[in-house]
Amino acid sequence: MKNIVILISGRGSNMEAIVQACATEAWPARITAVISNRPGAAGLQFAQARGIATAVVDHKSFSDRDTFDAELARVVHGFAPDVLVLAGFMRILTAGFVKQFEGRMVNVHPSLLPAFTGLHTHRRAIEAGCKTAGATVHFVTAELDHGPIIAQTVVPVLPGDSEATLSARVLAREHLMYPRAVRWLVSDLLRMEHGVVTHVSGESQLV
Ligand code: GAR
């Protein structure tokens, strides 16, 4: 049984999708905690209602990133994670934090990486005239929104799309892709060679 710890900052819809898939697909894993850097994160209530341990490490209580990350790491380690899942966790993590969880920490980012790292990805894709958009699940490295790609999902950018309509289209696909990618990870179905991640039995990583 692998322990999964999930970090959120807000709504937590990807966390919900992972919690539900873990239960209904009987993964060899359990969600041991959901941790937020915002006390008001809506996702905390969902986790509590499901009987999952929750914790808050409020970034506003810390004067710098290093002390915040040190406390976050202490709390995360307390739940003994085999896999650490960032699900809409909107804090930049220090290299010191990342090193402690390298190879077992994953993130979902709402763009086709390496395009559009950072914020406002959907607005920027529309403004650039992109005809496709999407999202990426990747291992977390010290470089923001970079790291070996586990899965990607692609959607069209339609004429008249707004940031809201495009992000809703992408989010629906994130809810399919992210649980699948985390299941692969906890089931030891991923291999990495020269920074490239492949599924051991060739399941499509384009979701
Ligand atoms: C998701 O769209 C996720 O891709 C994005 O935040 C949203 C969180 O939604 N993550 C990032 O932008 C990370 N750089 P959720 O809280 O409902 O899962």
Side-chain angles (χ1 to χ4, degrees), residues 21 32 49 54 57 59 65 72 80 93 102 104 110 114 121 126 130 138 141 159 162 168 173-176 179 188:
T32 53
T54 60
V57 183
H59 64 277
R65 277 191 202 285
L72 182 64
L93 294 164
E102 209 151 8
R104 56 191 174 118
T121 53
I126 291 168
C130 292
H138 64 97
T141 60
S162 63
R173 299 296 286 270
E174 291 181 35
H175 295 163
L176 290 177
D188 292 323

Side-chain angles (χ1 to χ4, degrees), residues 70-195:
E71 176 59 9
L72 182 64
R74 191 188 68 74
V75 173
V76 169
H77 281 303
F79 293 102
D82 296 296
V83 170
L84 183 56
V85 172
L86 310 185
F89 183 69
M90 303 305 281
R91 299 293 303 170
I92 294 172
L93 294 164
T94 56
F97 184 97
V98 171
K99 203 162 181 231
Q100 296 175 57
F101 300 100
E102 209 151 8
R104 56 191 174 118
M105 175 162 50
V106 292
N107 180 46
V108 64
H109 182 75
S111 78
L112 293 170
L113 292 175
F116 303 122
T117 60
L119 298 173
H120 311 301
T121 53
H122 303 303
R123 189 198 309 165
R124 287 157 60 208
I126 291 168
E127 284 171 1
C130 292
K131 308 307 173 213
T132 60
T136 304
V137 177
H138 64 97
F139 283 109
V140 176
T141 60
E143 198 180 345
L144 179 69
D145 297 331
H146 277 77
I149 291 171
I150 297 170
Q152 289 190 307
T153 188
V154 179
V155 301
V157 179
L158 300 176
D161 256 340
S162 63
E163 200 173 350
T165 58
L166 181 56
S167 73
R169 190 176 307 123
V170 172
L171 188 67
R173 299 296 286 270
E174 291 181 35
H175 295 163
L176 290 177
M177 170 175 66
Y178 208 8
R180 194 173 301 180
V182 176
R183 176 171 58 77
W184 291 339
L185 188 57
V186 297
S187 309
D188 292 323
L189 292 172
L190 298 174
R191 293 287 173 271
M192 177 144 40
E193 209 176 338
H194 308 302

Side-chain angles (χ1 to χ4, degrees), residues 22-34:
C22 182
T24 59
E25 297 170 5
W27 294 0
R30 60 186 157 229
I31 316 297
T32 53
V34 171

